[in-house]
Amino acid sequence: MVIIADGGSTKTSWCLITDSNTKVYFNTEGYNPYFSDTPTIVASLQKNLPENLRKDAVNEVNYYGAGCSAPEKIEIVAAAMRAVFTNANVYVGHDLLAAARALLGVEPGFAAILGTGANTCLYDGKNVTLNIDSLGYFLGDEGSGSHIGKRLVRDYMRGYLPEGMQKIFKDTYELTNEDIFDNLYNKPLPNRFLASFSKFLYENNNFSYSREVVKESFEAFFKNLVCHYPNYEQYSLNCVGSVAYNFRDVLEEVSNEHNMAFGKIIRSPIDDLVYYHSVLSPQTQI
């Protein structure tokens, strides 16, 4: 049996392909090695994987994950996978490669992630060939849920939200400024905490403020990342992630303003990733 997994900072989507070619899908929390160590990942997997999953019967794991680019970070996740799937050959790669393969298959082009975090690349039909570092939620991640959430939370804490919206936010989350500081500086996964607020703008899009914040974030995404790729206008914008999917109308507007054709936008790459591994390039391992 083979497992293919796409792990973001918030959620991991899994597909088990059985020996009879049946596909079984399930989800767990996300595992970013910048925030989680091997024992933490192992404990989560043991708790959250389906009870009827025969882990010892899995002979191959292809895991794509957020933060899985540097060798030492890859090993944090790979060690966890080997500890859980004891008889499997384990391959761990970056979630940006998963996005490119899901969006473009075996064709070259431009691919991006706009979810909890952000990332971009050029892809040659098999591997990532150029990547401008998004720098993470502290320094960059423009266009991402954490970038959007940071602006929203900052405006709320300063009392800058439009009349009516301030009260809705307060009633929805019941957070004091001290609660927010505690989540950001004392609790794990502050990027996930910030990104969780992006859905508030989606659910309250009757306020012009919501579209304004999202558009400004997408404009920063183009200005600081997309537009720095050589001849970026010759590519279409292909993007995976909940933020890209939920706000695709705004993303298309900004893309058109930067003379970049609007391409494929999907919420999750798992179905297309399974298709890549089982049909387009069945012998490919990360």
Side-chain angles (χ1 to χ4, degrees):
M1 297 195 295
V2 175
I3 279 182
I4 298 166
D6 172 66
S9 292
T10 300
K11 183 184 78 171
T12 301
S13 300
W14 304 75
C15 179
L16 171 70
I17 304 176
T18 69
D19 293 336
S20 60
N21 207 36
T22 300
K23 297 177 178 64
V24 181
Y25 292 87
F26 51 93
N27 298 318
T28 66
E29 63 181 326
Y31 308 110
N32 189 320
Y34 282 90
F35 304 111
S36 301
D37 58 16
T38 297
T40 300
I41 298 171
V42 170
S44 175
L45 290 173
Q46 298 287 14
K47 178 182 178 181
N48 294 303
L49 288 174
E51 291 183 5
N52 60 352
L53 174 61
R54 292 181 51 216
K55 304 179 190 69
D56 60 344
V58 176
N59 57 15
E60 182 180 317
V61 174
N62 289 287
Y63 181 94
Y64 299 83
C68 296
S69 53
E72 64 272 16
K73 300 302 181 186
I74 289 175
E75 182 54 28
I76 288 172
V77 177
M81 297 298 151
R82 290 194 297 267
V84 173
F85 302 103
T86 54
N87 294 319
N89 291 318
V90 173
Y91 305 91
V92 176
H94 200 259
D95 64 343
L96 186 57
L97 179 59
R101 288 177 171 177
L103 290 163
L104 297 162
V106 293
E107 299 298 322
F110 179 92
I113 298 171
L114 287 175
T116 299
N119 218 333
T120 55
C121 73
L122 294 182
Y123 171 73
D124 66 1
K126 185 176 181 181
N127 292 301
V128 170
T129 57
L130 179 61
N131 165 241
I132 298 173
D133 200 325
S134 65
L135 301 180
Y137 78 100
F138 266 132
L139 298 176
D141 268 358
E142 294 90 343
S144 70
S146 60
H147 189 261
I148 292 168
K150 188 184 297 184
R151 162 73 187 277
L152 173 63
V153 167
R154 184 171 64 236
D155 286 352
Y156 168 72
M157 294 175 76
R158 290 172 172 164
Y160 292 168
L161 295 184
E163 184 178 353
M165 200 175 197
Q166 187 87 10
K167 184 178 187 305
I168 295 171
F169 188 97
K170 183 177 181 179
D171 292 345
T172 300
Y173 297 107
E174 299 181 336
L175 291 170
T176 65
N177 283 14
E178 290 71 24
D179 292 331
I180 294 171
F181 282 132
D182 186 46
N183 276 279
L184 292 176
Y185 295 107
N186 298 322
K187 294 184 178 180
L189 305 173
N191 62 327
R192 189 186 297 179
F193 172 75
L194 288 171
S196 69
F197 296 109
S198 63
K199 74 172 185 177
F200 178 82
L201 296 180
Y202 178 73
E203 293 170 349
N204 292 275
N205 59 16
N206 54 309
F207 290 90
S208 60
Y209 170 90
S210 297
R211 187 180 185 89
E212 170 196 320
V213 169
V214 173
K215 186 171 183 182
E216 286 184 4
S217 188
F218 287 164
E219 286 172 342
F221 169 67
F222 269 83
K223 177 182 177 182
N224 295 299
L225 292 169
V226 179
C227 293
H228 290 272
Y229 284 90
N231 304 311
Y232 76 91
E233 299 103 325
Q234 75 182 33
Y235 303 102
S236 60
L237 178 68
N238 304 285
C239 200
V240 62
S242 58
V243 172
Y245 187 84
N246 289 337
F247 300 107
R248 56 192 179 278
D249 58 330
V250 185
L251 185 59
E252 182 173 13
E253 179 182 330
V254 176
S255 183
N256 290 337
E257 289 173 355
H258 287 83
N259 301 312
M260 192 176 193
F262 201 58
K264 183 176 181 179
I265 308 295
I266 55 177
R267 182 186 293 275
S268 169
I270 190 64
D271 287 327
D272 296 275
L273 203 54
V274 169
Y275 182 74
Y276 174 88
H277 275 279
S278 59
V279 178
L280 295 180
S281 191
Q283 304 306 314
T284 298
Q285 295 163 337
I286 299 168

